[in-house]
């Protein structure tokens, strides 16, 4: 299975960004972890990160077509990114949305999740394990 893994705004600074919320591991650490699990599952991953909603949408349009499923952490775009939500819905691919922190235990403005409505499911608050759980889910459900 080919899986597109997208990380949105500010996730490129994992490791030094609010470590008390997001931990001390970097995006490179996360991608290494994901690639290791992908090898076990015989999945091919494309991991991309951007701070720009339009770039994420371009990738969903182009790379998404060649993928069987999408795992995305949209960062703050989750809470207001309607264009991103439309692109995810329009991809026709199964989408799993992941958040490192438990957004529901945080400020009220993070409880509104516009992209989540375009996802099959949302994993929030399990740290990097949430991305691994998303991969395992895709393996178990075959997309
Ligand atoms: C986040 C949660 C968002 O509210 C926040 O804006 C992020 C990271 C998470 O992974 O916990 O950038 O998506």
């Amino acid at each position: 299975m080919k899986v597109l893994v997208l990380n949105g705004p500010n996730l490129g600074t994992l490791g030094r960004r609010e470590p008390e919320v997001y931990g001390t591991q970097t995006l490179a650490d996360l991608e290494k972890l994901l690639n290791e699990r992908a090898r076990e599952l015989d999945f091919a991953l494309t991991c991309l990160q951007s701070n720009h909603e339009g770039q994420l949408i371009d990738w969903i349009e182009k790379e998404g077509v060649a993928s069987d499923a999408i795992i995305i952490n949209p960062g703050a775009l989750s809470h207001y990114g309607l264009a991103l939500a439309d692109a995810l819905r329009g991809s026709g691919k199964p989408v799993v949305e992941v958040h490192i922190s438990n957004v529901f235990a945080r400020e009220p403005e993070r409880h509104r999740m516009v992209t989540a409505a375009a996802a099959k499911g949302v994993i929030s608050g399990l740290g990097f394990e949430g991305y691994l759980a998303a991969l395992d889910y895709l393996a178990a459900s075959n997309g």
Side-chain angles (χ1 to χ4, degrees):
M1 183 182 292
K2 288 186 181 163
V3 182
L4 177 62
V5 180
L6 295 176
N7 277 292
N10 297 309
L11 292 160
T13 57
L14 282 175
R16 56 193 159 89
R17 171 195 185 199
E18 298 180 88
E20 66 288 359
V21 178
Y22 301 110
T24 52
Q25 288 187 294
T26 65
L27 181 62
D29 294 332
L30 171 64
E31 293 181 350
K32 187 167 173 275
L33 208 60
L34 290 176
N35 277 306
E36 281 165 10
R37 178 67 58 88
R39 261 192 298 281
E40 288 165 18
L41 296 171
D42 204 19
F43 279 13
L45 299 191
T46 301
C47 297
L48 300 166
Q49 188 274 330
S50 176
N51 292 329
H52 306 282
E53 185 172 13
Q55 176 65 83
L56 293 166
I57 292 169
D58 285 348
W59 283 332
I60 291 165
E61 282 182 4
K62 296 194 183 83
E63 312 288 335
V65 172
S67 305
D68 300 303
I70 300 171
I71 296 173
I72 185 165
N73 182 344
L77 290 169
S78 317
H79 313 302
Y80 64 90
L82 276 178
L84 180 59
D86 285 345
L88 290 169
R89 207 174 280 113
S91 74
K93 307 289 174 169
V95 174
V96 183
E97 178 166 327
V98 176
H99 295 279
I100 295 166
S101 64
N102 178 356
V103 291
F104 299 104
R106 299 181 65 191
E107 310 93 302
E109 54 272 28
R110 292 186 203 275
H111 300 175
R112 183 165 177 261
M113 308 269 283
V114 303
T115 50
K120 273 196 111 164
V122 180
I123 301 167
S124 183
L126 304 185
F128 285 7
E129 285 295 328
Y131 292 82
L132 295 171
L135 278 181
D136 289 342
Y137 163 74
L138 292 172
S141 67
N142 211 10

